[in-house]
Amino acid sequence: MKLKIKLPLLFLLMFMLTTLFIFLYLIKALIADEGHMWLKNIMGPLHFQLLLVLCILMGITFVGLTVYLHFNITKPIQILNSRLTKVKVGQSRTSLQSRRRDEIGELYNHFNEMEDRLYQAHKEQVDMIAAIAHDLKTPLTAINGFMELLTIQKHLSEREKQDYYKLIIKKSKHIAELIDAFSAYTRDELTMETMALNSVCVQKMFENIAAEYETELSGFDVELTWKHSFLSNQLVMLNEPMIRRVFGNLFSNAVKYGEKKHLKIYMSGYTRGKDAYLQIEDNGKGVPDQELSSLFQKFYTVDKSRKMKNGGTGLGLASCKSIIERHGGEISAFHSDYGGLGIRFALPLR
């Protein structure tokens, strides 16, 4: 039972018990005094007894309420305040336990969820720093190696020197691309904090994006098939450039990692309940079952060798997740019936 119901009921019960006790005491006094004779003496013993009993009863009520409020409200809040002063990222912790189903129980549950998000954010920061360090260290190690070879080996031919210079330039460009990607991701995160949402016809937006990428993908010898069941009066609140960026990342990933000679991509859209669903599927290599839930983590890549071969930083799907969630939607990965990977995201309809 909620506190907003429990507390008024408790005070009402105390009031009714007090009133009932006084009423019964008055009845007893009237019967014992034969015709209200005690009323003639307002300072008589019966009045004094009644006042004394009333004070005792009110004192007991006050003590009872104080004890109840201490153990049901004050003490749980004190425990929560004490826990708040001890929250430190990186230390082991145990969740606050409460079987209550009122506001205090909800407060404990929300606190546990907040702690989980805090520790997850810390873990993501640590993983991000480790991933950036790893991605930058690899090309830097190669550059240092080539520079040492050029310094130590004095008798290299001009052609060999040029080959080493080309490799150094290639690795330097790779570092610049990584830094640009990290900067772009950070910039996008900051932009999304203040991005404006506009009312957009989901049918029109879907068809425009489909027509645009149908032409673009044909240049890569990739076939795009699309269909939808949206109506012309169905609207969504979104930032269209950001949503187009999601589609761009999804199509780019399908082309990069599909790894199939005759790659086909399937784009579809439909409504279910109060949401508009949009999904991209392909008939490519796909992703193992155990990897599906990790695809949207920052810097996560299914295969490190594919990352080196095709480029990328592992931020594309993480960025998609961030954008969709900022729009109040959800995104998930699944095995496509066409044999490859499917990505589905939902946006709330107006």
Side-chain angles (χ1 to χ4, degrees):
M1 185 182 295
K2 299 290 187 182
L3 286 174
K4 64 181 180 181
I5 299 175
K6 190 185 297 183
L7 290 179
L9 286 178
L10 181 63
F11 280 103
L12 178 62
L13 178 62
M14 291 296 183
F15 175 78
M16 292 177 64
L17 288 175
T18 303
T19 304
L20 178 62
F21 186 85
I22 294 173
F23 178 75
L24 292 175
Y25 189 87
L26 287 173
I27 294 296
K28 180 182 177 182
L30 289 172
I31 294 174
D33 203 43
E34 298 179 355
H36 311 284
M37 294 298 295
W38 63 282
L39 293 173
K40 296 179 181 179
N41 187 3
I42 194 168
M43 297 301 293
L46 287 178
H47 287 83
F48 179 77
Q49 290 178 16
L50 178 61
L51 182 61
L52 179 62
V53 171
L54 182 60
C55 289
I56 293 174
L57 184 60
M58 295 302 294
I60 293 173
T61 302
F62 176 78
V63 171
L65 286 175
T66 301
V67 172
Y68 176 84
L69 293 175
H70 172 73
F71 284 101
N72 284 271
I73 298 179
T74 306
K75 188 174 180 179
I77 292 177
Q78 287 176 342
I79 294 173
L80 184 60
N81 283 330
S82 176
R83 179 61 174 268
L84 282 170
T85 62
K86 298 177 182 178
V87 173
K88 291 183 180 179
V89 176
Q91 293 185 351
S92 59
R93 72 193 194 283
T94 56
S95 298
L96 285 175
Q97 300 297 325
S98 176
R99 296 182 179 179
R100 297 172 60 167
R101 296 186 178 181
D102 54 13
E103 289 85 351
I104 298 295
E106 291 178 355
L107 183 61
Y108 273 42
N109 291 333
H110 291 157
F111 177 82
N112 289 331
E113 292 172 2
M114 180 202 70
E115 268 196 327
D116 290 339
R117 289 195 298 268
L118 177 63
Y119 279 82
Q120 181 62 32
H122 173 69
K123 183 179 181 300
E124 289 181 356
Q125 288 179 350
V126 173
D127 292 343
M128 179 180 67
I129 293 172
I132 292 174
H134 175 270
D135 286 351
L136 292 177
K137 184 178 179 180
T138 302
L140 278 173
T141 301
I143 291 174
N144 288 333
F146 295 139
M147 293 298 293
E148 287 180 6
L149 287 173
L150 288 170
T151 303
I152 296 172
Q153 297 185 14
K154 303 295 185 180
H155 304 291
L156 291 173
S157 66
E158 191 62 29
R159 182 175 180 178
E160 289 175 326
K161 289 181 181 180
Q162 291 301 320
D163 289 339
Y164 284 140
Y165 289 141
K166 288 179 181 178
L167 289 172
I168 290 172
I169 292 172
K170 181 180 179 181
K171 296 299 181 181
S172 299
K173 288 182 177 179
H174 184 206
I175 292 175
E177 290 171 358
L178 288 172
I179 294 174
D180 288 342
F182 300 147
S183 299
Y185 180 81
T186 304
R187 185 172 59 253
D188 289 345
E189 289 291 305
L190 294 174
T191 300
M192 281 188 288
E193 293 180 1
T194 56
M195 69 178 181
L197 302 181
N198 301 306
S199 180
V200 176
C201 173
V202 65
Q203 180 193 61
K204 184 177 180 181
M205 181 192 71
F206 182 95
E207 292 177 354
N208 288 341
I209 292 175
E212 175 186 333
Y213 279 98
E214 186 175 20
T215 303
E216 185 174 331
L217 291 172
S218 64
F220 295 93
D221 199 24
V222 175
E223 179 184 348
L224 174 63
T225 302
W226 57 274
K227 62 179 180 180
H228 71 82
S229 58
F230 296 129
L231 303 177
S232 59
N233 61 345
Q234 290 177 324
L235 304 175
V236 287
M237 291 296 294
L238 53 80
N239 183 285
E240 191 165 346
M242 286 293 183
I243 296 300
R244 283 180 172 272
R245 187 168 300 177
V246 170
F247 278 104
N249 283 334
L250 298 181
F251 283 122
S252 176
N253 282 352
V255 173
K256 281 183 180 179
Y257 306 117
E259 296 187 0
K260 189 167 185 177
K261 186 175 181 181
H262 300 291
L263 183 66
K264 293 184 179 180
I265 299 178
Y266 305 85
M267 177 181 174
S268 57
Y270 57 93
T271 57
R272 182 181 297 166
K274 297 182 179 180
D275 295 314
Y277 286 84
L278 303 104
Q279 59 189 39
I280 303 293
E281 304 171 75
D282 62 65
N283 65 340
K285 182 179 179 180
V287 172
D289 292 340
Q290 65 273 19
E291 308 283 353
L292 284 176
S293 61
S294 304
L295 286 178
F296 300 98
Q297 295 178 7
K298 296 181 182 71
F299 302 101
Y300 183 84
T301 52
V302 176
D303 188 341
K304 302 299 181 184
S305 62
R306 286 203 302 174
K307 180 178 178 181
M308 294 299 296
K309 178 182 176 182
N310 299 315
T313 59
L315 288 172
L317 289 179
S319 178
C320 292
K321 182 175 185 292
S322 183
I323 292 172
I324 296 302
E325 289 181 347
R326 291 296 180 97
H327 283 80
E330 297 179 346
I331 188 168
S332 60
F334 61 95
H335 289 295
S336 171
D337 293 337
Y338 299 106
L341 175 66
I343 302 291
R344 178 189 301 116
F345 63 91
L347 296 171
L349 290 169
R350 286 193 61 186

